[in-house]
Every structure is written in structure tokens, then in C-alpha cells.
Amino acid sequence: MNAPPYIGRFAPTPSGYLHFGSLVACLASYLDARHVGGHWLLRMEDLDPPREVAGAQEAILRTLENYGFEWDGDLVRQSERHEVYASVLQRLFDQGLAYACTCSRKQLEGYAGVYPGFCRNAGHAAEDAAIRLRVPELEYRFIDRVQGEYRQHLGREVGDFVIRRRDGLYAYQLAVVLDDAWQGVTDVVRGADLLDSTPRQLYLQELLGFSQPRYLHVPLIIQPDGHKLGKSYRSPPLSAEQAPALLLRALRALGQQPPGELQGARVHELLAWGIAHWDAARIPRSRALAEEQLR
Ligand code: GLU
Ligand code: ZN
């Protein structure tokens, strides 16, 4: 059997409910997959129980159903994949590609988020320490389908980054790469807040011998108060009553041009129109859009 030519996914974090910005990213990944007859998977990125909002997982699933999104196969939860993360992490550690870091937050102040490498050669034990991946002194570069060329020098702009926190929780960067590869994801479509995570993920893919997916980062949606609707934004759940209106607005945010007759259509009709007419080349080539201009 041949592998399907396109496997996309939506990978929400239950640290809050879906908001209009997540709807835009979800819709883009769904339409991009379904337009070419591809598969579309759903993965719950529940790596961080302390930051999980009670009931958010159920609310996210309900919202996806209310908005008409249908995923292929079973929902995957990252909380059920710890053994895989642990074994890869152990291998990276044993090979000296990753090392233990005992730096306190205080020690790392003043380095603008770039780890200065204090523990690189310290040989700390892995217990009760964060684990960092050594990065090469190289620039990573890829062509995003919407944002165009993106470059980042891992050594100078990021530094050795955490793949397991000191409290034992696995980092998003590690889990996302392992899971996308395991699920055979060919196309990552997500919000532009993750553009600057991509070079770290490219490095991990290279290290682990995985093939590189295509990337498409959609603009973030900015609230009237200037707040970016990114991962950390807290908002109420997207209402079921507003589903058709918000889907129409999300289609327009993505540069698609739904005809006037779709005013008052139901969610399934809207998605069917979106699948048939999807044109990723129309997505605005910007990192962010103001929500007020979309109303
Ligand atoms: N879980 C991430 C988020 O909600 C998205 C991960 C991804 O799409 O790569 O921001
Ligand atoms: Zn350190």
C-alpha cells in the first residue's frame, strides 16, 4: 500500500480553549489537507498538566465537532507517549548530544533567552536537572509556503535548548518532532507564533533521521487591545451558535473569498465550499492580522 501523499494535523494544547486564532489555524490545516484528499489527524498536546485548564480537552473536542471538523483515526494524546519521549531522550543523553543543566532561572537572567552554555561540559547527572540538546553553530533555513524564507542561527539565536524540564516534563520541541514523524505527517500548518520554533525542529528531525515536512504558518490574529491570539492567550470557548459566522470570518482571514450566498449557510456547507475552493496562495503573507479588520 502506498503512503497517502498528504497527512496533516491539528495539535491543540489544552492550556486554554480554542480561540479565533486557533480556529484560523485549524481551518487552514483542515482545508489544506482535505482539498487534496489528504488525511487530517488530531493530537492533544497535553504535556504540561500544571498548565492544563480543567475541562479544556473536552471543550476543544466539542468545539471541533460544533464547527464541523472531522479527524481521521483516533485522537492521540501526548500524555500517553511518555515512554517514547523518555527512550529517545535517554539515547540523546547517552550519545552526548544532550546534557544535564542545573542552572537556575536567576543564573540565566540577562542572556535574552539564549542559553550561554554554562553546563555544556559539566557532566551533571540527569536526575533533578533539565536536559538540553546541544545545537550546532549553524544557520537553519526553510521555505515556508506562506511566510517565505525563514532563517535562524541556532547557536547565536537560540542556544542549547531544553528537551526535558527539571520537573521531568517533556518539552514541546521534542514531542512535536517525535509525534509528527511517528504519525507520518507530511504537512505542518499552524500559527506563525511557531515560526521561530521550526529551526529547532528541523535540527531534531535531522538528528533523528526523520524526513522534513512542508511548513505553512498562518498569520496570528491580533485582538483590538494588541493581544496576540497565540498559545498563551486565555479566552472563553468559541460558541456553537456563532460557528457559521466565525467560520466565514476565518475563511476571509485566510484570504479565501466565500460568496455572499454562503451567508446563513450551515457549518458543513461552509467547510465543503472551503475544501472545494481552497487556495493557499491567497493567504495573507504576514505574520499577524488585526481581528478588527476582519469583522
Ligand atoms: N500545541 C501547539 C499549540 O497549541 C501547536 C503545535 C504545532 O502545531 O506544532 O500552539
Ligand atoms: Zn546550565
Side-chain angles (χ1 to χ4, degrees), residues 19-49:
H19 47 64
F20 182 67
S22 11
L23 177 64
V24 169
C26 177
L27 181 63
S29 85
Y30 188 74
L31 299 182
D32 202 54
R34 297 303 195 205
H35 180 68
V36 296
H39 289 195
W40 189 71
L41 313 178
L42 180 63
R43 182 170 73 229
M44 197 58 78
E45 301 213 314
D46 53 350
L47 285 172
D48 193 344

Side-chain angles (χ1 to χ4, degrees), residues 136-186:
E137 288 298 323
L138 287 176
E139 181 178 78
Y140 277 72
R141 163 188 181 278
F142 71 102
I143 309 284
D144 188 87
R145 290 170 56 204
V146 164
Q147 308 292 334
E149 180 178 67
Y150 187 80
R151 302 162 172 262
Q152 189 182 59
H153 191 285
L154 280 185
R156 287 202 294 271
E157 297 177 61
V158 179
D160 299 340
F161 60 91
V162 172
I163 52 176
R164 194 200 70 196
R165 288 171 12 188
R166 191 172 196 154
D167 58 11
L169 297 181
Y170 297 100
Y172 155 70
Q173 307 291 355
L174 178 70
V176 75
V177 166
L178 292 176
D179 290 345
D180 281 341
W182 171 63
Q183 295 185 282
V185 169
T186 61

Side-chain angles (χ1 to χ4, degrees), residues 9 24-25 28 32 142-148 150 172 187-199 201-202 213-220 254 280 283-288:
R9 76 336 183 248
V24 169
D32 202 54
F142 71 102
I143 309 284
D144 188 87
R145 290 170 56 204
V146 164
Q147 308 292 334
Y150 187 80
Y172 155 70
D187 287 79
V188 171
V189 176
R190 60 188 178 190
D193 53 335
L194 293 166
L195 203 50
D196 67 356
S197 285
T198 309
Q201 297 170 15
L202 298 183
R214 286 179 290 263
Y215 287 98
L216 189 166
H217 287 87
V218 301
L220 282 187
L254 290 164
I283 300 171
R285 295 181 184 275
S286 80
R287 300 260 179 100

Side-chain angles (χ1 to χ4, degrees), residues 23-138:
L23 177 64
V24 169
C26 177
L27 181 63
S29 85
Y30 188 74
L31 299 182
D32 202 54
R34 297 303 195 205
H35 180 68
V36 296
H39 289 195
W40 189 71
L41 313 178
L42 180 63
R43 182 170 73 229
M44 197 58 78
E45 301 213 314
D46 53 350
L47 285 172
D48 193 344
R51 287 195 53 212
E52 190 161 331
V53 168
Q57 293 207 22
E58 295 70 28
I60 289 170
L61 297 179
R62 211 171 315 119
T63 299
L64 291 173
E65 280 162 24
N66 290 336
Y67 281 65
F69 294 105
E70 289 171 12
W71 57 92
D72 294 305
D74 291 335
L75 165 70
V76 166
R77 286 194 171 82
Q78 291 190 324
S79 55
E80 292 162 5
R81 305 245 317 134
H82 286 188
E83 280 170 35
V84 175
Y85 308 147
S87 77
V88 172
L89 191 120
Q90 187 66 49
R91 205 169 80 219
L92 294 171
F93 188 79
D94 292 345
Q95 291 173 337
L97 295 163
Y99 60 89
C101 166
T102 56
C103 293
S104 65
R105 197 163 291 176
K106 183 121 193 85
Q107 276 173 288
L108 299 180
E109 270 168 20
Y111 293 94
V114 179
Y115 180 66
F118 294 146
C119 299
R120 257 200 157 190
N121 303 307
H124 296 305
E127 291 74 41
D128 192 31
I131 304 294
R132 290 184 182 271
L133 191 69
R134 280 176 211 279
V135 298
E137 288 298 323
L138 287 176

Side-chain angles (χ1 to χ4, degrees), residues 55 232 271:
S232 55
L271 290 177

